[in-house]
Amino acid sequence: MAPIILHHSIRSFPGHFKSNLSRGKKRCLTSTKQLVKAGSKTTGLSFYLLSKNTSYTPLPAEELELLQAGMGRQTVSLPEDGDHAEISRLLEETFPKMEYLCGGWLLHKATGGSGRRKLTVIPPETEGYSVKTLKAVSGGGKSTFYIVPLQETLDTSPLPPDSQHFSKMPKKLCYQCNEVMPLQMLAVHINTCKGKFSPDETDDEESELCIVKSKCKVICPICTKDFPEDEITVHASLCGDSFQCMVPEENDQTTCTPTQTSVCTTDSVEDVLRCLEQQVDTTTEFKLCVDREDLPDRGILQWQRKKSASPTSVLRVVFIGEAGVDTGALRKEFLSDMISGIESRFFEGPENKGKNPKYSLTDLDNENFRTVGEIIAVSLAQGGPSPAFFKEWCYNFLCSGEVDFSCLSKEDVADVESSLLISKVEDAADIQSLMLWADEIVTCGYTNQIKMDSKESMIRAIVLHSTTRLIPMLQQLRKGMELYGLVNLMAVNPEACHSLFVPGKILKPDADFIMMSCQPHFSEKGTSRERTERKIINFCKISCRRLKHQMETQAVQVVKNQSLLLSSMCSSG
């Protein structure tokens, strides 16, 4: 009976009859489970290598250039307990060009907002940067760290397509030349790739292009020059009123055919405007939605926020609260209001005698003067009014990029403070009255002894102080006017562009000039009377522009009829 009872007990209570070796908590064998080392966890942080020491994030056009050069944005996996040496080693592996940074680098972080943002330095700890600190600063890896070189400027030339830096990037085949390259390089390559064509095919294509271009030319009977059909409208409204009939001599063997001018000449204002118009990208649009009452400040802000398109494209404007499709009239109206507002907001000086930019470091820091330069270039290229309110020395600086100090005089001073100080120095009758303004004179940079015989030197110091402090504003303005190559045209032929920027005698006042000369005084802002008065002014602008458009259309028709008559006379002769 005993074996039977024992067997029954074992089946009922198996836990009490197991071997002692199997009792207790089960242990996992080290051979079947891998042990994780302490501190082996990694975190991914985003880094952006810049090519030089700068205080702003790169422009969208510069990002692709940096990426092709092996820089730009990359995600780096760093150990969570990594120190400065470990971070530097991994960054050099990710960005090979960091090996040449012997002058040191610092990490920066971009401020909030969109577009081009300001960079703020991230101060390192006593032992340099650590991964834990960077992870906390970036909010858990959400922000991007900008690597800014302190002393060197890295080479931004593109790396070869087969570079080891592009080994993990997706690649595609170019259909023109059958070369495999990364996508970011392919985006630029397809715009310049000509493929592998035979010489015969190239000659045939060039001949076909020449035939198409010759068919689209129209002769202007006034200046006897040929223009494309889509440009004859603008030329007809700008071409001179005199016509010199050119009769071929008997010994002249040349035929009466259109002159083939492929080079853009800048001998006159009309040539400059035509060259700028040819640089406009008609395949894309630069759309703005603005409020008519907040110009020009709101218009400049909307212009700077527009990052999805380039101002080299065709400008399209929509006024908030107004129905209408911009076919050109709204664009001209917007540019007229902007140029007029820019003159009163960013420039100062007497009317019709030229103005200087206002000394405003706030506008300089916000790059408002650069935006003003872009708007000026767009206005000249797309049918807007010309900014004929610059002083002579400002225009000379825009053309050459330098200031001729010997040509500066009292007439070039535009700010009220400097003008009053010059008058006080000139009117001082004795040394006591002159010493009353000693602090202001010294502030202008005058370091000699203040005495009655030194009035001219004091005035000269005030003139130089008032004008030279505006050079940063003019430099930023000139940078924005590089749009469409306007600065290059001004440098090549400053005489032809002079009347567009410096006030002078108006030979042909048009609707834009008349409406810009009007300075209505509206009622209190926000009232119903003020809205009604603005509607009346807008109606006058639209009426003037429609009348101008009708006159231009009639002038174009006359030009076409005269060109047909001239062509028939040449063929019969």
Side-chain angles (χ1 to χ4, degrees):
M1 293 296 292
I4 298 176
I5 296 174
L6 179 61
H7 179 69
H8 181 72
S9 300
I10 292 175
R11 293 181 62 186
S12 301
F13 306 99
H16 291 279
F17 293 94
K18 288 185 178 180
S19 175
N20 294 332
L21 296 176
S22 63
R23 292 182 181 180
K25 186 176 181 180
K26 293 185 178 181
R27 307 294 179 183
C28 295
L29 299 178
T30 57
S31 60
T32 60
K33 183 176 181 180
Q34 297 179 353
L35 295 178
V36 179
K37 296 181 180 180
S40 62
K41 293 183 179 181
T42 60
T43 180
L45 297 179
S46 181
F47 292 88
Y48 198 116
L49 177 60
L50 300 178
S51 61
K52 58 184 178 180
N53 194 342
T54 180
S55 300
Y56 294 91
T57 58
L59 295 172
E62 300 173 350
E63 293 183 357
L64 186 59
E65 179 184 1
L66 294 175
L67 189 60
Q68 292 178 354
M71 293 179 276
R73 183 180 283 103
Q74 295 285 345
T75 301
V76 184
S77 296
L78 301 173
E80 291 189 353
D81 59 347
D83 55 1
H84 187 85
E86 184 72 12
I87 295 174
S88 300
R89 183 183 64 82
L90 294 175
L91 288 180
E92 289 180 1
E93 293 179 359
T94 307
F95 302 102
K97 291 192 176 183
M98 286 190 64
E99 298 178 1
Y100 306 101
L101 284 179
C102 301
W105 51 268
L106 285 176
L107 296 179
H108 289 64
K109 183 180 178 182
T111 56
S114 59
R116 195 176 191 188
R117 295 167 292 169
K118 192 176 182 64
L119 295 176
T120 57
V121 66
I122 301 175
E125 300 175 350
T126 56
E127 298 180 356
Y129 294 111
S130 62
V131 178
K132 292 182 179 179
T133 303
L134 296 181
K135 186 176 180 181
V137 172
S138 63
K142 297 180 181 179
S143 302
T144 300
F145 295 103
Y146 290 84
I147 308 173
V148 180
L150 296 181
Q151 302 182 59
E152 291 94 350
T153 299
L154 299 178
D155 183 21
T156 57
S157 57
L159 297 177
D162 56 351
S163 175
Q164 184 66 23
H165 183 75
F166 302 138
S167 59
K168 298 182 180 180
M169 295 185 180
K171 301 179 178 63
K172 288 296 179 181
L173 178 69
C174 176
Y175 292 159
Q176 299 290 341
C177 60
N178 296 327
E179 292 186 5
V180 179
M181 57 186 62
L183 292 180
Q184 66 272 16
M185 300 189 69
L186 183 62
V188 179
H189 173 76
I190 57 178
N191 296 327
T192 58
C193 181
K194 298 181 180 179
K196 299 180 180 179
F197 299 107
S198 62
D200 297 336
E201 293 177 353
T202 305
D203 295 339
D204 294 339
E205 289 183 359
E206 289 181 355
S207 61
E208 291 177 1
L209 289 174
C210 293
I211 293 174
V212 173
K213 288 183 179 179
S214 62
K215 290 181 180 179
C216 296
K217 295 287 185 177
V218 178
I219 305 174
C220 175
I222 300 177
C223 60
T224 66
K225 294 182 180 180
D226 58 326
F227 300 93
E229 270 190 49
D230 55 349
E231 298 179 8
I232 193 66
T233 304
V234 178
H235 174 75
S237 61
L238 299 174
C239 191
D241 296 330
S242 62
F243 172 66
Q244 298 178 352
C245 183
M246 301 178 61
V247 181
E249 299 179 359
E250 295 181 358
N251 298 330
D252 191 4
Q253 301 296 330
T254 58
T255 58
C256 187
T257 57
T259 58
Q260 298 179 2
T261 57
S262 59
V263 181
C264 185
T265 58
T266 56
D267 297 334
S268 62
V269 178
E270 293 80 6
D271 294 333
V272 173
L273 296 178
R274 183 169 64 252
C275 288
L276 293 175
E277 184 186 12
Q278 293 174 357
Q279 304 301 321
V280 180
D281 183 10
T282 58
T283 60
T284 56
E285 293 183 351
F286 186 74
K287 297 182 179 179
L288 291 179
C289 185
V290 296
D291 190 351
R292 191 188 299 274
E293 298 181 2
D294 293 338
L295 300 178
D297 290 334
R298 193 66 178 177
I300 291 177
L301 182 61
Q302 293 294 332
W303 191 287
Q304 293 175 341
R305 290 180 176 178
K306 192 69 176 180
K307 301 299 182 181
S308 59
S310 172
T312 56
S313 306
V314 178
L315 177 63
R316 301 294 183 193
V317 179
V318 176
F319 287 107
I320 298 177
E322 300 181 14
V325 179
D326 186 9
T327 59
L330 294 180
R331 176 179 66 241
K332 292 183 179 180
E333 186 176 352
F334 168 77
L335 292 174
S336 299
D337 294 341
M338 285 298 295
I339 294 297
S340 178
I342 286 172
E343 180 182 0
S344 58
R345 165 68 171 80
F346 294 95
F347 291 82
E348 60 182 353
E351 295 292 336
N352 302 325
K353 292 185 180 180
K355 298 183 178 182
N356 290 341
K358 290 183 180 179
Y359 181 71
S360 175
L361 296 180
T362 302
D363 292 324
L364 183 70
D365 186 53
N366 295 332
E367 294 193 346
N368 288 340
F369 285 102
R370 178 170 181 169
T371 306
V372 168
E374 293 179 353
I375 295 174
I376 288 175
V378 171
S379 180
L380 294 176
Q382 302 193 30
S386 60
F389 47 75
F390 285 85
K391 282 190 175 293
E392 188 74 28
W393 78 274
C394 295
Y395 174 72
N396 293 333
F397 180 88
L398 295 177
C399 293
S400 61
E402 298 178 353
V403 178
D404 188 0
F405 296 102
S406 60
C407 297
L408 295 176
S409 62
K410 294 186 297 183
E411 287 71 19
D412 295 324
V413 177
D415 60 294
V416 179
E417 295 81 4
S418 300
S419 300
L420 290 176
L421 185 57
I422 292 176
S423 301
K424 292 174 182 177
V425 172
E426 291 178 338
D427 298 339
D430 49 20
I431 189 64
Q432 288 77 13
S433 58
L434 190 61
M435 290 299 295
L436 295 176
W437 318 111
D439 294 339
E440 289 81 354
I441 296 173
V442 173
T443 304
C444 293
Y446 182 75
T447 57
N448 293 335
Q449 184 179 1
I450 298 178
K451 52 185 179 179
M452 296 298 295
D453 298 338
S454 304
K455 280 188 176 182
E456 293 297 331
S457 299
M458 299 177 197
I459 295 175
R460 183 65 179 170
I462 298 172
V463 171
L464 293 177
H465 172 75
S466 175
T467 53
T468 55
R469 66 175 184 171
L470 303 178
I471 292 179
M473 292 74 181
L474 291 172
Q475 288 176 339
Q476 196 175 97
L477 187 69
R478 191 172 186 265
K479 187 70 175 178
M481 290 174 59
E482 291 179 357
L483 204 69
Y484 305 120
L486 175 58
V487 173
N488 296 332
L489 291 176
M490 295 168 61
V492 171
N493 198 342
E495 293 81 9
C497 305
H498 186 272
S499 60
L500 296 175
F501 294 89
V502 181
K505 184 178 180 182
I506 304 297
L507 298 178
K508 293 182 179 180
D510 54 3
D512 296 330
F513 171 75
I514 295 175
M515 295 310 302
M516 287 183 63
S517 300
C518 296
Q519 298 181 355
H521 296 279
F522 298 105
S523 301
E524 185 179 356
K525 187 174 181 180
T527 60
S528 58
R529 294 185 60 183
E530 189 258 351
R531 289 193 295 268
T532 304
E533 292 166 357
R534 287 190 177 274
K535 290 181 179 179
I536 295 174
I537 294 297
N538 295 336
F539 176 78
C540 294
K541 291 182 179 180
I542 296 174
S543 301
C544 291
R545 296 187 186 282
R546 287 179 178 175
L547 180 60
K548 180 182 177 182
H549 178 69
Q550 293 176 0
M551 296 177 64
E552 289 179 352
T553 305
Q554 295 176 0
V556 170
Q557 188 63 35
V558 172
V559 169
K560 288 184 177 180
N561 294 337
Q562 292 181 355
S563 62
L564 294 174
L565 179 61
L566 183 61
S567 300
S568 61
M569 291 173 59
C570 293
S571 59
S572 61

